[in-house]
């Protein structure tokens, strides 16, 4: 448990890096909430609740931050502060940093043949060998390949070696540098 907490604290330091030089450290571990006295009971706190999954186990993790510790940097947490600080520095530099940080993040990739709304009764009556007709899908229609929960590509099913695979046919929509620049200009106009 201690190793996981140390890794979380290292990630917290990195996440707060642009706001403050934060150096969190593990003092003690208390498993009984009644004995974890961080601040007096009537002080204001910020409670951050995260859904955590480690292997097959899932649960909730809470961070309780006393407001007095966040108060000195609260002005740096506004959207306007972040936008103006990004505008002052090089956008390409920030994009390179973001791409580097995000390049190793794992995302779900789902090939979707189609969907159908059915009743719970029909679901309960499904058996092995049943065939479900998808009225809006024809044989040969491309699948939709989603990255996370966003539809990004059209693809077709196939086989690669002894594995089932999909081949990407085309993007669902194209984004250009001009689209990104338009979004940046809209953001600048919002804060002027």
């Amino acid at each position: 448990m201690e190793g996981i907490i140390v890794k979380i604290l290292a990630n917290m330091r990195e996440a707060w890096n642009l706001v403050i030089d934060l150096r969190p450290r593990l003092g003690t571990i208390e498993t009984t909430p009644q004995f974890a006295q961080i601040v007096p009971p009537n002080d204001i706190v910020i409670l951050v609740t995260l859904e955590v999954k480690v292997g097959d186990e899932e649960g909730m993790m809470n961070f309780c931050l006393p407001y007095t510790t966040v108060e000195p940097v609260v002005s740096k947490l506004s959207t306007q502060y972040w936008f103006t600080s990004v505008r002052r520095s090089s956008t390409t530099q920030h994009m390179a940093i973001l791409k580097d940080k995000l390049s190793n993040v794992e995302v779900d990739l789902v090939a979707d043949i189609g969907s159908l709304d059915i009743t719970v009764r029909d679901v309960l009556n499904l058996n092995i060998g049943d065939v479900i007709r998808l009225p809006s899908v024809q044989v040969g229609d491309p699948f939709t390949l989603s990255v996370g929960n966003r539809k990004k590509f059209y693809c077709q099913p196939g086989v690669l070696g002894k594995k089932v695979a999909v081949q990407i046919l085309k993007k669902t929509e194209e984004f250009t540098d001009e689209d990104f620049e338009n979004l940046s200009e809209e953001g600048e106009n919002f804060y002027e």
Side-chain angles (χ1 to χ4, degrees), residues 30-71:
E30 181 56 65
T31 57
T32 309
Q34 293 87 346
F35 299 132
Q37 182 80 23
I38 300 170
V39 292
N42 58 348
D43 274 11
I44 298 172
V45 296
I46 298 171
L47 182 64
V48 179
T49 303
L50 305 172
E51 186 176 323
V52 180
K53 184 175 182 182
V54 178
D56 292 335
E57 300 298 319
E58 291 184 40
M60 303 301 278
M61 178 181 289
N62 293 317
F63 286 102
C64 182
L65 304 169
Y67 182 74
T68 54
T69 62
V70 179
E71 190 174 21

Side-chain angles (χ1 to χ4, degrees), residues 59-188:
M60 303 301 278
M61 178 181 289
N62 293 317
F63 286 102
C64 182
L65 304 169
Y67 182 74
T68 54
T69 62
V70 179
E71 190 174 21
V73 295
V74 81
S75 64
K76 293 182 178 181
L77 300 177
S78 72
T79 309
Q80 186 170 2
Y81 174 85
W82 281 96
F83 186 77
T84 55
S85 66
V86 167
R87 187 171 49 181
R88 275 184 254 140
S89 60
S90 167
T91 304
T92 55
Q93 178 187 6
H94 283 287
M95 289 303 290
I97 292 169
L98 277 173
K99 282 182 181 178
D100 181 54
K101 298 286 184 198
L102 292 175
S103 64
N104 292 323
V105 174
E106 291 187 9
V107 294
D108 290 330
L109 194 65
V110 176
D112 186 11
I113 188 171
S115 63
L116 176 67
D117 292 328
I118 62 174
T119 65
V120 172
R121 181 180 330 144
D122 290 340
V123 171
L124 294 173
N125 290 326
L126 287 175
N127 291 306
I128 295 173
D130 285 354
V131 176
I132 301 170
R133 194 170 126 275
L134 301 173
S136 61
V137 180
Q138 302 295 318
V139 174
D141 284 354
F143 291 10
T144 304
L145 190 65
S146 298
V147 179
N149 60 355
R150 298 191 67 185
K151 295 177 179 180
K152 298 302 261 181
F153 303 98
Y154 294 111
C155 62
Q156 66 184 11
V159 177
L160 182 63
K162 294 183 178 183
K163 302 281 184 178
V164 175
V166 292
Q167 179 182 30
I168 294 175
L169 301 172
K170 66 179 181 175
K171 291 183 179 181
T172 56
E173 54 186 279
E174 295 287 336
F175 288 103
T176 64
D177 289 342
E178 187 177 298
D179 294 327
F180 178 74
E181 289 170 10
N182 290 341
L183 288 173
S184 297
E185 287 171 11
E186 288 173 19
E188 286 177 15

